[in-house]
Amino acid sequence: MNVFRTFPASVRRNLGILFTAGLLFWSGLAALLPTLPLYIKATGATDQTVGFVMGAFAIGLIPSRGWLARLADNRGRKIVLLIGMSAVAFAPLGYITTQSIPALMAIRAFHGLSIAAFAIAYNALIVDLAPPQNRGEVIGYMSLVTPIGMAMGPAIGGFSQAWFGFTPMFLIASSLGMLGLVCTNQVQETFQAETSISNRPKSKQLFWRLLASPRIQTPAIVLMLIGLTFGCLSTFVPLFIRDAEVDLNVGLFYTAAAMGSFSARLLVGPASDRYGRGVFISLSLVLYVVSMVMLWRAHSASMFLLAAVVEGTGAGTLIPMISALMADRSYVDERGRTFGICMIGFDTGIAMAGPLLGTVATYLGYRSLFGISSGLAFLGLLIFLTCSNKTVFHSLRFALGVGADTFAVEAIDRTASLQSSK
């Protein structure tokens, strides 16, 4: 982490506050992972209904991505950070007030604003601060808030629910968000929209039209397929473990996944600055395939925990690398939008996972869901290997770490410069 010592004191302080806010955000959000499906189930809901309620999270995510991304690019990152943290702080209070399925779905949709806002602004602000030659390293280190928060949050939520019940657990999750709001308010804005561009016209491309861009399309499709597997994990693992009669606190599953994610992020960020993003994205997809197969065949607590570590390692590699990839492929005035539209794929996967896989679970059982998820992850790997760059040849080279990214801004600008000089 010596790279941080080269930053001015004001930047280090800003990153420190941002890191603390990120920890509180992910801890508050993840505290509900092992407990909310059980709370919904306790209202008398069916497996399919649990899937619909949990999937409603993405109803708040998908429609809000566009305007939140534009807000981050046009008005600055801090206001979007505050919106995301507010959703984490206040949504748990809403769950306490009702056991009505429609009301729970509405609250869950509001909760979806949290990731839509916070992830866009957090990643954009980090890229604003990071020098291009150390971009992967800084993103990797700053993204450690996710696995640490995902380790602490489920443990806090799982044990507080077991010891005190659902209402105190929701209050604790809300308190984490409230503390996060205090920290977020101290973040110093660095992005100035009106002065951020030099020697280039400001991008006017519409948010949704970005999805047609080949530099964004393939990462978005890959994230959609992985979003389906993530939605399966977040919704059905607690019910699967209980149905399999395995003696395992569900919170420990998510903690094990977070440990794998933490380890990956420490190593992958700096390495990607040297070897490229493609090979690590490919590796992460392989790990997702392996982890889903392991869950499909799991019959013991040790196998569940090992699968969680492998899945966490895959997630801890994939998300930071996609963030770095989108930063490489974006100009400064469109970072919020490019990351936001790319993450639409992940949102869509989560949205579809609950209702679609909940229906499958009704007829085939929970175990079959993870066999299906392994196939989805394998499909994502094939798509990335063949479609991540301008041709299949360039895609394979990039995905295997032996070729450059032809969609990177530096490569595009260099090509344009050569053409103009002829």
Side-chain angles (χ1 to χ4, degrees):
M1 296 189 180
N2 290 334
V3 65
F4 291 100
R5 296 177 183 174
T6 65
F7 294 164
S10 60
V11 174
R12 292 199 303 271
R13 179 180 179 276
N14 212 21
L15 288 172
I17 295 172
L18 190 62
F19 192 90
T20 304
L23 279 180
L24 291 165
F25 173 86
W26 287 106
S27 296
L29 188 68
L32 305 186
L33 278 177
T35 54
L36 188 56
L38 301 178
Y39 179 74
I40 299 166
K41 189 75 171 178
T43 67
T46 64
D47 292 335
Q48 189 173 21
T49 303
V50 172
F52 276 113
V53 175
M54 295 298 290
F57 188 85
I59 296 175
L61 270 170
I62 296 173
S64 63
R65 282 287 191 190
W67 71 269
L68 287 169
R70 288 192 296 271
L71 189 64
D73 284 337
N74 296 331
R75 294 285 302 279
R77 323 302 194 194
K78 183 174 179 178
I79 186 173
V80 183
L81 285 175
L82 289 169
I83 291 171
M85 192 66 78
S86 296
V88 163
F90 295 111
L93 301 179
Y95 295 124
I96 297 174
T97 64
T98 183
Q99 291 190 342
S100 162
I101 296 301
L104 287 172
M105 290 182 69
I107 296 165
R108 187 69 176 157
F110 166 71
H111 209 173
L113 286 173
S114 59
I115 292 182
F118 196 87
I120 287 172
Y122 187 86
N123 282 281
L125 186 52
I126 290 169
V127 174
D128 292 343
L129 294 168
Q133 67 273 18
N134 299 113
R135 182 175 288 156
E137 183 175 6
V138 175
I139 290 174
Y141 291 146
M142 290 297 292
S143 72
L144 289 173
V145 296
T146 305
I148 297 173
M150 293 289 282
M152 296 190 303
I156 292 169
F159 286 114
S160 62
Q161 187 275 326
W163 293 340
F164 308 116
F166 285 113
T167 297
M169 180 273 298
F170 285 128
L171 291 173
I172 290 170
S174 176
S175 298
L176 292 170
M178 297 292 184
L179 288 173
L181 274 174
V182 174
C183 289
T184 303
N185 195 50
Q186 303 303 311
V187 171
Q188 297 298 311
E189 181 66 87
T190 62
F191 174 75
Q192 298 295 327
E194 66 276 7
T195 60
S196 63
I197 309 303
S198 59
N199 303 321
R200 188 178 69 86
K202 188 172 181 177
S203 173
K204 299 292 185 181
Q205 192 168 5
L206 295 177
F207 180 80
W208 289 103
R209 289 184 181 176
L210 286 169
L211 193 56
S213 172
R215 63 186 168 132
I216 297 173
Q217 204 170 69
T218 294
I221 292 171
V222 169
L223 284 180
M224 182 186 71
L225 294 168
I226 297 303
L228 280 165
T229 68
F230 182 84
C232 182
L233 284 168
S234 61
T235 302
F236 296 108
V237 160
L239 302 173
F240 179 32
I241 291 175
R242 187 184 64 182
D243 185 67
E245 298 182 348
V246 173
D247 185 17
L248 175 66
N249 184 312
V250 179
L252 295 178
F253 177 91
Y254 295 107
T255 299
M259 291 172 62
S261 181
F262 181 89
S263 302
R265 291 168 196 256
L266 278 177
L267 301 173
V268 168
S272 75
D273 288 328
R274 181 174 181 181
Y275 300 108
R277 322 300 185 196
V279 64
F280 295 102
I281 294 175
S282 299
L283 176 61
S284 71
L285 296 172
V286 171
L287 291 172
Y288 256 105
V289 173
V290 173
S291 66
M292 293 302 106
V293 171
M294 293 174 69
L295 281 173
W296 180 31
R297 307 304 300 166
H299 292 278
S300 64
S302 59
M303 184 60 76
F304 274 103
L305 291 174
L306 183 58
V309 172
V310 176
E311 186 277 331
T313 304
T317 303
L318 179 64
I319 301 302
M321 288 302 95
I322 292 291
S323 299
L325 184 69
M326 287 299 96
D328 294 343
R329 294 180 174 189
S330 306
Y331 291 100
V332 64
D333 68 321
E334 58 180 6
R335 285 171 182 161
R337 281 172 292 158
T338 53
F339 183 75
I341 197 67
C342 187
M343 290 302 292
I344 286 288
F346 196 67
D347 302 342
T348 303
I350 294 174
M352 294 189 300
L356 287 181
L357 297 180
T359 302
V360 173
T362 301
Y363 295 101
L364 300 179
Y366 299 120
R367 188 174 300 278
S368 64
L369 301 182
F370 299 97
I372 294 171
S373 294
S374 67
L376 293 171
F378 183 70
L379 178 59
L381 175 62
L382 290 179
I383 291 172
F384 187 74
L385 287 171
T386 56
C387 304
S388 59
N389 258 260
K390 291 183 177 180
T391 66
V392 173
F393 175 74
H394 286 103
S395 295
L396 278 171
R397 286 179 56 81
F398 174 65
L400 297 177
V402 295
D405 181 11
T406 56
F407 288 131
V409 165
E410 290 183 0
I412 294 171
D413 286 348
R414 185 165 56 250
T415 300
S417 177
L418 289 173
Q419 290 176 345
S420 63
S421 63
K422 290 182 180 180

